[in-house]
Amino acid sequence: PTRARTTPRTSMTIWGIGPRMFLHTAWISSPIVVIHVLLADRLRADVPPAVWWYVVGGAMTVLGLVGVRWGSHHIRRHWRQGQLCTTGPYRWCRNPLYASWILLVAPGLVLVLRLPGLLTIPVIMYLVLRRLIRRGEAFLEERFGDAWRQYRDRTNRLWPRFPAKEE
């Protein structure tokens, strides 16, 4: 089997591994989506009541899109200046854009559609991310050196790590 490239790159676009992650996820998930489209009426969940699915799913989707927008704002500003982004949501998580998509937007949309079988898609997204992320991290380590390593050591890759409250 082929392995994800982990050797450093001299350049990377602002999009990072995002396009590859979404293409791989779409390819791997396509049979699941086709089955759910063909059998949607039989697979649609009606318990709890539909309004619950819409409210919770809609809230997750909106919150996730806010996270995507917030993270995009910070990464664009730092990217243009050639700086490592460690502000905004990046102070808690190294990949808040991917985290927003995987933890909130994708599951939220699945809930709105009331097709819980599609919850496999965020799981597939996560597995694809784990396979591809080393490439982006190698680029960041090559470009920012010790600053990247210190940042990497104090933040989680995907799940936000909030600072402990001081008493």
Side-chain angles (χ1 to χ4, degrees):
T2 60
R3 301 194 65 88
R5 179 180 167 158
T6 58
T7 56
R9 295 174 49 108
T10 56
S11 67
M12 183 171 278
T13 71
I14 193 170
W15 299 102
I17 63 160
R20 291 186 74 202
M21 183 183 85
F22 283 105
L23 287 173
H24 285 245
T25 299
W27 175 252
I28 295 166
S29 302
S30 59
I32 298 164
V33 172
V34 168
I35 290 168
H36 277 77
V37 167
L38 294 175
L39 302 174
D41 291 337
R42 292 184 182 161
L43 298 174
R44 195 168 316 277
D46 290 322
V47 176
V51 69
W52 179 89
W53 295 92
Y54 296 132
V55 170
V56 173
M60 289 175 69
T61 302
V62 168
L63 185 61
L65 291 174
V66 167
V68 168
R69 174 68 180 100
W70 188 28
S72 296
H73 167 74
H74 282 272
I75 194 69
R76 268 195 310 270
R77 187 174 44 148
H78 285 80
W79 184 266
R80 287 184 196 129
Q81 297 171 359
Q83 298 174 339
L84 179 64
C85 184
T86 61
T87 63
Y90 288 87
R91 73 186 130 194
W92 302 307
C93 169
R94 295 193 306 267
N95 298 286
L97 300 177
Y98 303 139
S100 293
W101 278 102
I102 293 170
L103 301 173
L104 293 168
V105 176
L109 291 173
V110 168
L111 292 179
V112 167
L113 294 172
R114 297 185 356 244
L115 292 170
L118 292 181
L119 284 173
T120 55
I121 292 173
V123 173
I124 291 168
M125 289 175 78
Y126 173 73
L127 295 173
V128 169
L129 173 77
R130 287 201 39 132
R131 179 176 165 81
L132 298 177
I133 197 69
R134 290 178 201 93
R135 181 179 186 184
E137 290 179 344
F139 167 77
L140 292 169
E141 185 167 7
E142 179 184 88
R143 181 144 185 210
F144 298 109
D146 286 338
W148 160 254
R149 286 185 284 279
Q150 290 170 2
Y151 173 65
R152 178 195 62 206
D153 292 344
R154 73 175 182 267
T155 56
N156 287 335
R157 180 179 279 160
L158 192 68
W159 193 259
R161 180 189 300 170
F162 300 105
K165 289 185 178 182
E166 295 182 27
E167 295 185 39

